[in-house]
Amino acid sequence: MNHKILRVSISQQYRLKNKAGNYYNAIISLDMELNHLNQAQRTAVTAPLGPVLVLAGAGSGKTRVLTYRIAYIIEQGFYRPDQILAVTFTNKAAKEMQSRIAKLLSEGGNQKLVSQPVLGTFHSIGVRILRKHISKLGYNPSFSIADSDDQLKIIKDILKDLAVPKQFGAPLFRAYISSAKNLLQTPAQMDLGLDGHIRDLAAQVYARYQDFLFKQNNVDFDDLLMLPIILFQNFPEVLRGFQERWQYILVDEYQDTNQAQYMFLHLLAKTGNIFVVGDDAQSIYGFRGSNIANILNFEKDFPNAQVIKLEQNYRSTKNILAAAQKVIELNSEQKPKTLWTDNSDGDKVVIKEVYDGHAEAVFVAKKIVSISSGEDDELEYDTEEIEQPQTFSILDTFLAQQKRRGGSGKSWSGAMGIPQLPKNHGPLNEFAVLYRTHAQSRQIEEVFITAGIPYHIVGGVKFYERKEIKDVLAYLRLLVNPLDILALDRVINLPPRGIGEKSFEQIRKYLLALPKGLSVDEVASKLEQLTLPPKQRAGLNQFWQILKKASLVPEEVTLSELLKVVVKLSGIDDLLNDGTDTGEVRRENVRELFNVTAKFDNTAWHEGLLMFLEEVALITDLDNLTDERNSVTLMTLHAAKGLEFDTVFFLGLEEGILPHTNSLFDPKELAEEVRLAYVGLTRARQRLFLLYAQGRQMYGSFQNNAPSRILHALPKEVINAVAGTKLAAQDGDYSYEPFE
């Protein structure tokens, strides 16, 4: 095949087939669509085959470039759709790309491409590979994916067995194991810079943990990348198969890749036909193992790489963009680019000094009420109103405030001057409150509740982490993998069946000795040979009969119908139907599962169940985030990347909070804090409020903090400092150590 790419496509015949399965020739033209791209975007979309690095600044249209690139490769006939692999970090991003590509290449009616590009997250691609080839590593293809609770339970049991002191908790060792896997280290290779004794202990826990997962045919989230790489390295024929299958690879958010993801991509990209999009200025997940060097060294890895910069921002106003540009210039370790926009100047960036965290929350509430009501009159909060608010009760504060105001009935009523959201307010889903850590949300939540402002927290308790949902999922996991000890432990006594700790330990040891891949019926037959006291035997038989009846449901039955059977047979529905409000809420949550499983009802239940459990295991907070909820979004800066809002409140811009105390003496971590601030600033489309407090309650005491160096980097011409803000009197210079 001639891989010389034309810079502009006129039209291209492409072989398609209709719903009846008949092939036909159709004309797919991207000419008019390419006119919607700016010059840099067109250069990226039509770049020659081979390695390409697209440095996409915030709001520069990277998703558009990725989807157009895929459509262009298909339209030019360089590769079939099924020869293209596009990797993202969230299911939401993958689905959005899939939808856009389908729209670009649609030819009307029910006609469709013969094949489709493979789009998914790193971990979903890993699952796909493992389902097909994991037997080569000694696992059964029906493996389960252990969730975070499962992992902690395994590690807790191991630590107890090893008599490890309680100060070394399970979360610490889970973090060690995860870090090692992301660095592709086995227990024997484990080296995280730990002291000798701790390193040896961590390696021992890691070895036992992995052995336990293997014996019960489970893998964890990190295994979904590590195990495919082990497959590729030990079975070259498997690697060659996927190299031949996926001949063109695209990667989103390349700056966030860790060592395992880096190795995974480089093993697959044999031909060098790799197209990566990312922004080193938004590399903020170093604590998760992401390595900024992957994007900074792309040209070293691929010497013939073409580098294209997307610098036109379509999201933010000129003032917001100018502020963000000055902040990111504090970070010297970057590929230089200068963002610009054709958007208006917009409002100036507001900087507001408040007394403490509560005053911060009140200011935010007031602004949301005034903006959403169409009455944004630059309401100010008097920072001198309360001298030491942390020493007063809410009632004392309220009474003192009413006395100062002479009992006048102001519209801004309530404790501490908290406003009330009127019924005729405008949409709230375009407001976001960003903070460095989740602990900062408490006072915001308290004030929002008082003000009647609806909100949701990204990163709170997920639907699939609720107890009743995990109970139902445990029954479903056992239908796929009846040797899933963790799932069994969760529900064998739900409802109570009299199986105590000693009996369960006996059952556990027996099951772990069984070969992988047995069916529910086969495991049930094996368990009949186990000697147990009569009461425990009866309870075990009762439990396994539930699983047997569910597993014998005809294959043509839908997943939703199977779910109804499981909920009924297990007794979970009766258990939750206790006449309490809490029980009813939990029943409603279980019923919500039927809305989720419905989309898998077009396949036989066994196949649909496997796909459903995979989706649940791989889902993220951002996958569930929707613009449909009319409420204010509260989230950390890390969770905010990739999102945008009309109005953003950026809290806690103080030394010790941002940059965080833990980063102040490490140049690399300090540089990441700067990038984190840059991400926060560039989430705003129209309005940006930056807040810092004179002091706030931290670690049980009231601490005074200096304004963050981030604020001092901002150009004065784009700032509007609200009255009472001392920063306004400064010249903008600030002394700081350069970031190397």
Side-chain angles (χ1 to χ4, degrees), residues 88 91 94 119-129 224 614 618:
T88 68
N91 298 300
L119 288 86
T121 65
F122 280 99
H123 296 96
S124 67
I125 301 301
V127 169
R128 182 186 291 235
I129 294 168
L224 299 180
E614 284 178 8
L618 300 177

Side-chain angles (χ1 to χ4, degrees), residues 462-480:
K462 302 176 187 176
F463 175 77
Y464 293 108
E465 290 181 353
R466 295 167 183 167
K467 180 183 180 305
E468 61 276 12
I469 301 301
K470 297 193 78 163
D471 292 341
V472 175
L473 292 177
Y475 275 100
L476 296 176
R477 282 169 55 176
L478 285 165
L479 292 178
V480 173

Side-chain angles (χ1 to χ4, degrees), residues 181-196:
K181 289 186 177 184
N182 287 329
L183 292 170
L184 302 176
Q185 296 176 357
T186 65
Q189 300 166 329
M190 192 175 190
D191 183 9
L192 302 174
L194 303 172
D195 292 336

Side-chain angles (χ1 to χ4, degrees), residues 158 176-177 180-181 184-188 190 201-211 223 226:
I158 294 170
Y176 288 157
I177 294 169
K181 289 186 177 184
L184 302 176
Q185 296 176 357
T186 65
M190 192 175 190
L201 180 60
Q204 190 178 1
V205 174
Y206 180 9
R208 290 197 179 198
Y209 168 83
Q210 206 63 17
D211 184 60
D223 285 330
M226 188 172 181

Side-chain angles (χ1 to χ4, degrees), residues 432-667:
V433 181
L434 310 182
Y435 36 76
R436 178 64 177 81
T437 65
H438 275 300
Q440 293 171 256
S441 75
R442 180 185 63 82
Q443 290 180 306
I444 291 288
E445 290 186 74
E446 290 175 356
V447 169
F448 277 19
I449 291 170
T450 303
I453 299 174
Y455 68 92
H456 62 276
I457 298 178
V458 177
V461 178
K462 302 176 187 176
F463 175 77
Y464 293 108
E465 290 181 353
R466 295 167 183 167
K467 180 183 180 305
E468 61 276 12
I469 301 301
K470 297 193 78 163
D471 292 341
V472 175
L473 292 177
Y475 275 100
L476 296 176
R477 282 169 55 176
L478 285 165
L479 292 178
V480 173
N481 179 16
L483 298 181
D484 191 334
I485 306 297
L486 296 169
L488 182 64
D489 188 19
R490 185 175 187 93
V491 294
I492 195 168
N493 275 313
L494 186 77
R497 297 187 178 93
I499 299 175
E501 196 172 316
K502 289 184 179 179
S503 295
F504 182 78
E505 181 62 19
Q506 190 177 349
I507 296 167
R508 186 182 75 87
K509 288 181 178 179
Y510 187 82
L511 291 177
L512 286 174
L514 295 177
K516 300 180 185 66
L518 297 178
S519 68
V520 170
D521 191 49
E522 290 171 330
V523 173
S525 298
K526 297 285 186 183
L527 284 171
E528 290 177 0
Q529 304 170 25
L530 184 63
T531 303
L532 289 172
K535 182 180 178 181
Q536 286 71 28
R537 163 58 60 187
L540 181 62
N541 289 342
Q542 182 190 41
F543 177 80
W544 225 261
Q545 282 302 313
I546 294 170
L547 292 182
K548 283 181 66 174
K549 287 180 181 178
S551 69
L552 294 174
V553 170
E555 189 70 9
E556 63 269 17
V557 166
T558 67
L559 179 57
S560 296
E561 290 170 333
L562 173 75
L563 180 59
K564 291 178 183 177
V565 171
V566 169
V567 171
K568 184 66 177 176
L569 288 176
S570 67
I572 288 177
D573 190 60
D574 292 335
L575 192 66
L576 297 177
N577 189 20
D578 58 3
T580 66
D581 291 341
T582 302
E584 186 56 33
V585 169
R586 290 175 175 172
R587 288 185 78 199
E588 287 296 323
N589 287 336
V590 172
R591 294 190 192 107
E592 180 62 23
L593 271 181
F594 292 101
N595 295 329
V596 183
T597 56
K599 65 181 176 181
F600 300 100
D601 285 346
N602 59 342
T603 63
W605 72 261
H606 193 273
E607 183 182 351
L609 177 57
L610 204 59
M611 292 189 293
F612 166 66
L613 291 175
E614 284 178 8
E615 180 172 290
V616 170
L618 300 177
I619 205 161
T620 69
D621 285 346
L622 293 183
D623 291 328
N624 284 330
L625 189 62
T626 173
D627 293 333
E628 296 176 0
R629 290 182 288 186
N630 190 21
S631 59
V632 180
T633 301
L634 275 59
M635 64 174 72
T636 65
L637 293 162
H638 287 100
K641 194 162 76 68
L643 305 177
E644 57 185 67
F645 303 87
D646 283 349
T647 304
V648 169
F649 298 90
F650 193 158
L651 311 187
L653 279 156
E654 302 143 38
E655 294 287 304
I657 296 180
L658 187 74
H660 196 273
T661 301
N662 295 340
S663 71
L664 295 178
F665 303 102
D666 187 325

Side-chain angles (χ1 to χ4, degrees), residues 48-66:
L49 294 180
V52 177
L53 168 62
V54 180
L55 292 170
S60 62
K62 67 177 179 65
T63 303
R64 171 176 283 198
V65 166
L66 275 168

Side-chain angles (χ1 to χ4, degrees), residues 135-416:
S135 57
K136 293 181 180 294
L137 299 177
Y139 293 81
N140 186 276
S142 64
F143 62 86
S144 302
I145 302 172
D147 63 21
S148 58
D149 286 350
D150 295 334
Q151 296 170 45
L152 288 174
K153 179 170 178 37
I154 297 170
I155 296 171
K156 282 179 182 177
D157 290 342
I158 294 170
L159 295 178
K160 183 179 180 180
D161 189 51
L162 294 173
V164 175
K166 290 185 178 181
Q167 64 262 35
F168 299 104
L172 177 65
F173 284 94
R174 183 179 66 176
Y176 288 157
I177 294 169
S178 179
S179 296
K181 289 186 177 184
N182 287 329
L183 292 170
L184 302 176
Q185 296 176 357
T186 65
Q189 300 166 329
M190 192 175 190
D191 183 9
L192 302 174
L194 303 172
D195 292 336
H197 174 69
I198 298 297
R199 183 187 64 241
D200 293 342
L201 180 60
Q204 190 178 1
V205 174
Y206 180 9
R208 290 197 179 198
Y209 168 83
Q210 206 63 17
D211 184 60
F212 185 89
L213 287 179
F214 178 76
K215 285 181 177 178
Q216 65 165 344
N217 204 41
N218 266 9
V219 300
D220 66 18
F221 203 65
D222 297 310
D223 285 330
L224 299 180
L225 274 178
M226 188 172 181
L227 292 181
I229 292 170
I230 293 174
L231 267 172
F232 291 163
Q233 292 174 332
N234 290 279
F235 301 92
E237 70 279 9
V238 174
L239 175 59
R240 283 195 299 272
F242 285 104
Q243 288 173 336
E244 292 170 3
R245 179 177 179 181
W246 296 323
Q247 297 187 31
Y248 196 84
I249 297 173
L250 303 96
V251 189
D252 191 15
E253 305 286 8
Y254 189 69
Q255 78 282 349
D256 292 334
T257 53
N258 59 29
Q259 180 63 25
Q261 291 159 342
Y262 173 88
M263 181 63 71
F264 179 80
L265 293 169
H266 281 248
L267 286 170
L268 287 175
K270 178 185 178 182
T271 63
N273 279 326
I274 183 168
F275 185 96
V276 307
V277 179
D279 183 8
D280 55 292
Q282 298 186 70
S283 178
I284 60 174
Y285 297 123
F287 70 99
R288 293 182 186 171
S290 68
N291 188 356
I292 193 174
N294 293 347
I295 191 169
L296 295 177
N297 295 334
F298 186 85
E299 296 154 272
K300 293 181 181 178
D301 294 333
F302 299 96
N304 299 320
Q306 183 176 355
V307 180
I308 302 160
K309 296 181 181 181
L310 305 183
E311 297 176 299
Q312 183 175 0
N313 176 284
Y314 292 93
R315 176 186 302 159
S316 305
T317 63
K318 285 186 173 68
N319 283 329
I320 292 173
L321 206 60
Q325 188 70 38
K326 282 297 183 181
V327 167
I328 200 59
E329 287 175 4
L330 293 176
N331 178 21
S332 62
E333 190 182 22
Q334 60 180 307
K335 290 183 176 291
K337 53 186 174 293
T338 303
L339 298 191
W340 61 276
T341 183
D342 282 334
N343 295 339
S344 67
D345 290 344
D347 295 342
K348 288 189 175 184
V349 176
V350 175
I351 298 179
K352 174 62 179 173
E353 179 187 71
V354 295
Y355 185 87
D356 62 359
H358 187 90
E360 184 179 57
V362 173
F363 178 85
V364 172
K366 284 185 174 182
K367 296 304 291 185
I368 289 175
V369 170
S370 62
I371 294 171
S372 65
S373 304
E375 301 174 354
D376 188 16
D377 56 356
E378 297 294 336
L379 289 166
E380 298 176 6
Y381 183 75
D382 184 0
T383 59
E384 304 300 326
E385 191 172 69
I386 302 169
E387 293 181 359
Q388 292 182 317
Q390 75 278 8
T391 64
F392 293 101
S393 70
I394 291 179
L395 179 61
D396 289 336
T397 301
F398 174 74
L399 294 173
Q401 186 182 61
Q402 292 296 93
K403 184 178 179 181
R404 283 193 296 273
R405 292 178 173 174
S408 62
K410 285 193 149 189
S411 60
W412 303 103
S413 60
M416 296 279 291

